[in-house]
Amino acid sequence: MRNRDLSLDLLRILSAISVITIHVAGDYWSAVSIHSLEWQTFNFYDSMARFSVPAFVMISGVLLLDTSYKLTVSDLFKKKILRFILMFLIWSLFYTFVFTPPHNLKELLVSCFSGTTHLWFLKMIIGLYILIPILRKIVSDKQTARYFLIVYIVFSLFVYPLQGVNYFGIIYDQFIDNGYMYMPLGFTGYFIAGYYLKRMATFKKNARVCIYLLAIVGFIITVIGTGVISNAKGTATESLYDYLTPNVAMMTLGVFTFFNYRMPKIEFSDKMRRQIIKLSNYTLGVYLIHPFYVFILNRFHINALSMNPIISVPFIVLIVFVLSLISAALLKKIPVVNKCIV
């Protein structure tokens, strides 16, 4: 345990808390005036937490693309992919009856297979897991991995977001759709970037400072840009919140680099290390269960508008995180359930 690098565990915990922040702050994000202090506060918290999902994907890339972790195709499907498919169906069924109980079999099937808002993450992870044997080949050579990331940055982070922007849509149609440039899209870049940055790349101090400055710029673009675009359109607009945008990628790179270089330098006691690892192991369960508690608290009129959002958002995030953590820990103790639910 002393040799374990806790940077990924700590980042995973922060990412779980940040995902909850997104859902708590976003609950009433489009329900209040874009000119109000409440909206600006929600925008600030939501923008700040946008690195969370990409960071989760990068952590998975670090762990699963490492060839020292033996993973046959058979094990990949039996122990990973099928488990996540089952997990998706169970939680989707659960949230179907919690949020919008179906009136007939068709509604039930549509709801279960589409999944509630946050369960898209499981479908995305399943897709990435299917590609693991291919992606491992890419990261087996540093030059190939670097080339893939360059292509990803160009087509996924710059060209793809422009698909709906006036004449830039033509570029998208011609080079993405007509060029069938699908592989370097989506979250594959984050998956590979996690491994590349952790296992292959090294940044000197000056380079790290530049990365941190880029992260700050990314955050400023996200929070101010969202305000500007929303004001221009007269309605809350979340285009800059998209995980596949340069500004969010810049934030994610900065956060990942900070944890990668700074956290290993902190000395933790054995007791603290055990607690961090334990919390880290519960984060998937926290991710899956937390919308339920956001929903329940809302039913009791405890939400981001219950008081000043500057205070209410972190307060509710803390409550939801603790409740979700307790639930995840309890579910982890139940045989069979702990393998297919959390």
Side-chain angles (χ1 to χ4, degrees), residues 292-309:
F292 172 73
Y293 288 113
V294 174
F295 174 78
I296 293 298
L297 289 175
N298 209 1
R299 294 292 293 269
F300 286 94
H301 306 290
I302 302 173
N303 55 58
L305 291 177
S306 299
M307 60 185 86
N308 188 319

Side-chain angles (χ1 to χ4, degrees), residues 84-288:
F84 272 89
I85 290 174
L86 181 60
M87 189 180 295
F88 170 79
L89 292 174
I90 291 173
W91 281 104
S92 190
L93 185 65
F94 171 76
Y95 282 112
T96 292
F97 285 98
V98 169
F99 293 157
T100 52
H103 297 94
N104 52 57
L105 180 60
K106 181 180 179 181
E107 287 188 5
L108 175 63
L109 291 175
V110 170
S111 183
C112 281
F113 283 98
S114 60
T116 191
T117 53
H118 73 306
L119 294 179
W120 70 268
F121 179 81
L122 293 182
K123 291 190 284 187
M124 179 267 291
I125 285 295
I126 290 168
L128 287 175
Y129 279 15
I130 291 172
L131 293 176
I132 282 177
I134 300 171
L135 300 181
R136 278 191 168 189
K137 294 293 183 181
I138 292 175
V139 299
S140 65
D141 177 71
K142 186 175 182 179
Q143 296 301 322
T144 304
R146 184 180 298 166
Y147 177 78
F148 182 91
L149 289 174
I150 292 171
V151 173
Y152 176 81
I153 291 169
V154 172
F155 287 97
S156 191
L157 298 184
F158 285 96
V159 176
Y160 177 78
L162 296 175
Q163 59 180 300
V165 182
N166 299 325
Y167 295 108
F168 288 107
I170 298 173
I171 299 176
Y172 176 83
D173 291 337
Q174 297 303 318
F175 289 95
I176 300 293
D177 270 358
N178 292 344
Y180 296 93
M181 292 288 296
Y182 298 135
M183 186 174 178
L185 297 181
F187 286 83
T188 52
Y190 283 120
F191 203 63
I192 288 178
Y195 182 85
Y196 180 84
L197 294 172
K198 186 73 174 178
R199 306 298 185 206
M200 294 179 164
T202 54
F203 297 116
K204 293 183 179 179
K205 183 176 180 180
N206 289 341
R208 295 199 299 272
V209 171
C210 290
I211 290 173
Y212 301 148
L213 290 175
L214 279 176
I216 295 171
V217 170
F219 168 70
I220 292 173
I221 291 173
T222 306
V223 68
I224 295 180
T226 299
V228 171
I229 295 173
S230 297
N231 273 280
K233 293 190 174 182
T235 185
T237 305
E238 58 182 10
S239 55
L240 289 178
Y241 283 177
D242 195 300
Y243 300 119
L244 303 179
T245 52
N247 48 292
V248 172
M250 289 157 62
M251 292 169 58
T252 306
L253 174 61
V255 174
F256 187 88
T257 301
F258 178 81
F259 274 77
N260 191 26
Y261 283 88
R262 297 302 303 174
M263 292 301 107
K265 296 180 180 179
I266 301 176
E267 289 290 333
F268 294 101
S269 66
D270 287 343
K271 182 178 180 181
M272 180 62 72
R273 293 177 71 86
R274 284 193 295 270
Q275 292 303 316
I276 291 172
I277 294 170
K278 186 180 293 186
L279 284 177
S280 176
N281 290 335
Y282 294 149
T283 51
L284 178 58
V286 169
Y287 179 90
L288 293 169

Side-chain angles (χ1 to χ4, degrees), residues 71-82 133:
L71 188 66
T72 65
V73 172
S74 175
D75 286 341
L76 175 63
F77 275 84
K78 290 179 181 177
K79 298 180 181 180
K80 299 291 183 182
I81 295 172
L82 290 179

